[in-house]
Amino acid sequence: MKNQKGITLVSLTVYIVITIFVIVMLTVIRGNYQKGLKEITNDSTVESELNQFNLYFLEDTKKEGNNVTVSNDGKTIKFSSGNIYEYDQDKKVLYLNIEQIEVPDPEYQELEYIESTGTQYIDTNTKFIDVGEKIVLDMQLTSKINNKWFCGTNSNFEAGVYDNKLYTGAKFTYSSNNLTDRLDATGINTNAIESNIYIFARNWKGNYDGASMKLYSAKIYDASGNLIKNFIPCYRKVDGVIGIYDIVNGNFYINKGTGTFGKGKEVTNTNIVIKKDKEDNTKIALLKDIENCVFTTDNSTGKTKIKLNVTFNGQIKKEKNYIMSDEKATIAYQDENDYIKTKDIAGLPKEYQKVEYIESTGTQYIDTGYIPSVNTKYYLKLMSTNNSTSYRWFIGSGNRTTYGKTSLLALANNSGNFYHEITGSNVNATTFSINVLYEVEFSVSNLLVNGQNYATNRLTLESTGYPVWIFACNNAGNTYDNRFIGRMYSVKIYEDGELTRDFISCYCTNEMKDVNGNICSIGTIGLYDLVENKFYTNSGTGTFLKGEDV
């Protein structure tokens, strides 16, 4: 009988090796299974969060006229609708800030007016350097004492009582010449002034000789007509100090003289407000556990394309593309292929109603405040309702009297033709007919009317130096020839390919402030700029007409 011990030992060794191999393989398989299960779980979580993000983000990208701004670091993207998507680097979370609301500033109480006795004054910390800068006071004198001054810097720019009447010799005009009336005092600069402008007094070589008066408001504009300071009477609640608050820049100005200002009654519906996150449901965490998040935009194709690149925990990278809807489009694209149809036309705040067009009768026009350059391009949708044989200007600005330095960049109807003027190179384009809708694109070098191109053979133009007017041509601050009689459906202004003004025809459905800070009554007709979120109203006379609600 053979000895079987050696065979048993070898077999045992083989069994042990096989057993160990099987255990190792099972461990590897289990590990891979658990890893795969974890990756599936992570992917599922990521997709779930991305679906939630898409739910909100597509609503913003598909809204017509909902312009977008991305921060330099790509961590924040803001839509003109008010929605802000913001990545918090510390918390690794992408938030949607649903709504911010304006609430009364708890530090200040607005007043109907503040009142001086003649020894109090305000230093506005403003010097006028450029021609056309302006200050407007809503005020009322409470004393007729002669040679007392309520605004200004020196004898070249001052307003007050002189020879027992309102002084009109230094750039100021008044809405009333009666010394006891509540009035608007308007001062427009014509030369550089080296010292700060005072209110309630004049800054005469650092001294003051103030008038007794009530101040209801004061506004300062730059040479382009932009409101740069808007002073509201108020007092500071913590110590009761009375002064004026600039709601444009958020600064409080107090008495620089002696004594104390008097005050009018408290105003309930205050203009002195701060922005605050809405307390209920302020932020939604859309994407969590994000290693990185970057928004970018691309306008090279003529439509705004938004790219979102997200790196999740575990280096799971996701990239999505969105193409925003424009005025003509009714589709917002997701990932280039899928799409969502929408009937949304809303790009306006809820306080405004979009209309098909606004219409001028020949006396109305819009001052855009925008100064064009050689790289400015305009897009207009318009219709004439008057078959005029004279020049009627749709849009433009410049100074036609200074050839070779500054010139017009403007578009008009000239005896039934489109007339594109740049001094030294003018184009009479296609026949212009009444009651026909035209889509027009024009710049220094080109005019396009309903798809038909007309080259201007002009490539250069010095800045016109004057803001663009719509329904008229601004010729060095005056209307050139005649204003347009007809309808304007929309106006877009581009600078170097970037949309800088996007005007929509509309009217306000609540009392709202226009671009100059004036209160507009319900039903006021004008153009709303979706880029800067400002309402532009008639700078001429009469009232715009309007088309049907859209």
Side-chain angles (χ1 to χ4, degrees):
M1 179 180 243
K2 293 183 179 179
N3 190 343
Q4 301 295 321
K5 289 182 179 180
I7 296 173
T8 302
L9 184 59
V10 170
S11 299
L12 181 60
T13 301
V14 170
Y15 292 153
I16 292 172
V17 170
I18 292 173
T19 301
I20 293 172
F21 177 77
V22 170
I23 292 172
V24 170
M25 289 300 295
L26 289 174
T27 302
V28 171
I29 291 171
R30 182 184 178 187
N32 287 336
Y33 174 77
Q34 290 178 332
K35 181 180 179 181
L37 187 62
K38 183 178 180 179
E39 288 178 352
I40 291 172
T41 301
N42 284 343
D43 273 335
S44 177
T45 302
V46 169
E47 291 302 326
S48 174
E49 291 187 8
L50 283 172
N51 286 337
Q52 180 183 222
F53 169 82
N54 282 333
L55 177 67
Y56 292 97
F57 203 71
L58 282 170
E59 281 296 313
D60 281 310
T61 58
K62 74 183 182 180
K63 284 181 180 178
E64 176 196 335
N66 198 12
N67 297 291
V68 65
T69 304
V70 177
S71 61
N72 292 332
D73 60 5
K75 305 302 182 187
T76 302
I77 185 167
K78 180 178 180 179
F79 291 88
S80 58
S81 65
N83 281 345
I84 302 174
Y85 299 79
E86 184 175 9
Y87 175 54
D88 189 320
Q89 185 76 50
D90 296 329
K91 296 181 180 179
K92 307 294 185 185
V93 176
L94 177 67
Y95 288 106
L96 166 60
N97 186 1
I98 292 180
E99 185 177 1
Q100 281 193 322
I101 56 176
E102 290 186 341
V103 297
D105 191 324
E107 296 184 23
Y108 301 93
Q109 172 60 55
E110 182 175 350
L111 301 167
E112 181 186 9
Y113 60 82
I114 63 172
E115 183 174 358
S116 71
T117 61
T119 65
Q120 302 82 41
Y121 73 92
I122 297 287
D123 182 348
T124 67
N125 197 29
T126 302
K127 294 182 178 72
F128 278 173
I129 304 299
D130 298 321
V131 173
E133 293 171 310
K134 180 171 68 174
I135 184 169
V136 180
L137 309 179
D138 180 0
M139 53 157 293
Q140 185 174 27
L141 290 169
T142 56
S143 172
K144 301 179 183 179
I145 297 177
N146 203 28
N147 295 337
K148 293 295 183 180
W149 306 88
F150 54 80
C151 186
T153 58
N154 52 45
S155 59
N156 292 319
F157 193 83
E158 59 188 358
V161 180
Y162 183 75
D163 284 343
N164 296 310
K165 60 185 178 180
L166 290 169
Y167 184 58
T168 58
K171 288 72 178 181
F172 273 82
T173 59
Y174 309 97
S175 59
S176 171
N177 292 317
N178 190 334
L179 289 177
T180 61
D181 285 351
R182 177 174 170 178
L183 54 84
D184 287 339
T186 302
I188 302 178
N189 183 40
T190 59
N191 57 287
I193 299 172
E194 296 182 356
S195 54
N196 289 350
I197 295 170
Y198 288 176
I199 301 175
F200 294 99
R202 66 174 177 175
N203 181 5
W204 180 255
K205 299 179 181 180
N207 299 314
Y208 67 95
D209 39 11
S212 298
M213 59 175 279
K214 296 177 180 178
L215 180 73
Y216 293 85
S217 70
K219 297 176 181 177
I220 299 178
Y221 300 85
D222 66 17
S224 298
N226 300 310
L227 182 64
I228 58 173
K229 290 186 177 179
N230 189 356
F231 295 115
I232 304 296
C234 66
Y235 68 84
R236 190 166 53 198
K237 292 181 180 179
V238 66
D239 54 12
V241 172
I242 301 170
I244 54 177
Y245 188 92
D246 174 21
I247 61 175
V248 174
N249 303 291
N251 297 321
F252 183 52
Y253 294 73
I254 63 175
N255 176 29
K256 293 294 185 178
T258 60
T260 305
F261 282 118
K263 62 180 180 178
K265 64 181 181 181
E266 296 184 356
V267 175
T268 303
N269 188 20
T270 180
N271 293 291
I272 306 175
V273 297
I274 58 173
K275 287 191 174 181
K276 173 184 176 183
D277 287 343
K278 195 172 181 179
E279 293 180 359
D280 56 321
N281 202 23
T282 297
K283 290 185 177 180
I284 294 180
L286 294 177
L287 300 175
K288 304 173 186 177
D289 299 322
I290 307 173
E291 291 296 329
N292 197 18
C293 174
V294 178
F295 291 98
T296 55
T297 56
D298 179 6
N299 298 306
S300 60
T301 61
K303 286 190 176 183
T304 301
K305 178 180 179 181
I306 301 172
K307 179 181 287 186
L308 169 66
N309 194 297
V310 183
T311 304
F312 284 85
N313 233 348
Q315 300 299 303
I316 302 173
K317 294 185 178 181
K318 296 289 182 180
E319 184 177 290
K320 285 188 172 291
N321 296 297
Y322 304 83
I323 297 180
M324 292 186 65
S325 173
D326 60 21
E327 188 177 5
K328 297 179 183 178
T330 57
I331 297 176
Y333 293 86
Q334 174 193 353
D335 292 336
E336 305 286 355
N337 297 316
D338 299 332
Y339 65 89
I340 295 178
K341 290 184 177 179
T342 173
K343 293 182 180 179
D344 286 352
I345 58 168
L348 294 170
K350 64 180 182 300
E351 294 85 2
Y352 299 88
Q353 172 60 52
K354 183 176 180 180
V355 293
E356 188 181 7
Y357 57 80
I358 67 171
E359 182 174 347
S360 170
T361 61
T363 65
Q364 303 81 34
Y365 71 95
I366 298 287
D367 182 353
T368 69
Y370 187 82
I371 298 177
S373 74
V374 66
N375 298 312
T376 304
K377 181 179 289 187
Y378 304 86
Y379 289 82
L380 313 175
K381 288 177 67 176
L382 57 88
M383 177 188 294
S384 175
T385 57
N386 177 269
N387 193 15
S388 175
T389 58
S390 59
Y391 289 95
R392 289 202 175 273
W393 296 89
F394 309 140
I395 187 171
S397 69
N399 186 349
R400 199 174 188 274
T401 61
T402 55
Y403 292 96
K405 184 177 181 181
T406 57
S407 56
L408 295 177
L409 174 56
L411 191 68
N413 166 25
N414 174 25
S415 301
N417 292 282
F418 276 92
Y419 182 77
H420 176 272
E421 174 163 333
I422 305 173
T423 303
S425 179
N426 306 320
V427 174
N428 269 307
T430 184
T431 301
F432 181 81
S433 301
I434 65 170
N435 300 323
V436 174
L437 180 63
Y438 290 97
E439 295 190 35
V440 183
E441 169 189 327
F442 80 99
S443 61
V444 170
S445 59
N446 194 62
L447 171 63
L448 197 70
V449 180
N450 283 352
Q452 180 66 44
N453 185 61
Y454 302 88
T456 68
N457 300 317
R458 180 74 178 267
L459 299 177
T460 61
L461 170 74
E462 290 189 32
S463 174
T464 69
Y466 295 93
V468 175
W469 289 357
I470 300 173
F471 291 99
C473 179
N474 177 8
N475 183 30
N478 298 301
T479 297
Y480 185 52
D481 288 329
N482 303 292
R483 297 172 186 167
F484 176 46
I485 298 177
R487 301 168 180 175
M488 200 67 69
Y489 292 76
S490 64
V491 179
K492 296 179 187 291
I493 303 177
Y494 289 80
E495 194 69 38
D496 282 327
E498 181 180 353
L499 184 65
T500 55
R501 296 290 186 274
D502 189 358
F503 293 109
I504 302 298
S505 299
C506 65
Y507 63 91
C508 58
T509 55
N510 290 315
E511 285 192 352
M512 303 299 294
K513 290 184 179 180
D514 67 10
V515 66
N516 295 317
N518 300 316
I519 299 296
C520 301
S521 59
I522 295 173
T524 299
I525 302 168
L527 296 175
Y528 189 93
D529 175 27
L530 296 172
V531 176
E532 294 194 331
N533 296 314
K534 295 179 179 178
F535 186 41
Y536 290 74
T537 55
N538 178 26
S539 294
T541 60
T543 305
F544 281 117
L545 306 176
K546 63 181 177 66
E548 296 292 327
D549 290 358
V550 177

